Amino acid sequence: GGIRIAGRNILDAMDNFASNLLLPANGILIAVFVGWVWSARDACNASGLGSRLAAGWPVVIRHVAPLLVGVVLLGSIGLIRSA
């Protein structure tokens, strides 16, 4: 027996929720915060990136990272199927 949520025991349900929803959602929130709220200069200094990598970094963290993590989130909740 025990408590079951969506056919899973409570610990499996909590693990599924954390792994498939909370982690990708937090990834998007972190990328948005670092890309749009934190200044690019401060973020690049904190990351330790060299000047060559730091030049393209704001574009990647603002646009590419949230998009890709969003794809992972949509895949984990079943809205996108892998081939």
Side-chain angles (χ1 to χ4, degrees):
I3 299 172
R4 300 193 76 72
I5 299 173
R8 298 183 169 129
N9 69 39
I10 188 76
L11 294 178
D12 287 340
M14 290 172 52
D15 177 53
N16 184 49
F17 177 72
S19 299
N20 294 326
L21 294 174
L22 291 180
L23 287 174
N26 283 330
I28 292 172
L29 292 174
I30 290 168
V32 167
F33 174 78
V34 172
W36 295 100
V37 177
W38 207 7
S39 76
R41 183 171 34 97
D42 290 342
C44 287
N45 288 339
S47 69
L49 292 174
S51 60
R52 294 184 72 202
L53 290 175
W57 189 79
V59 172
V60 171
I61 200 69
R62 284 182 176 174
H63 303 288
V64 177
L67 178 67
L68 293 178
V69 177
V71 169
V72 169
L73 177 62
L74 292 175
S76 69
I77 61 175
L79 294 178
I80 296 177
R81 298 211 182 260
S82 60

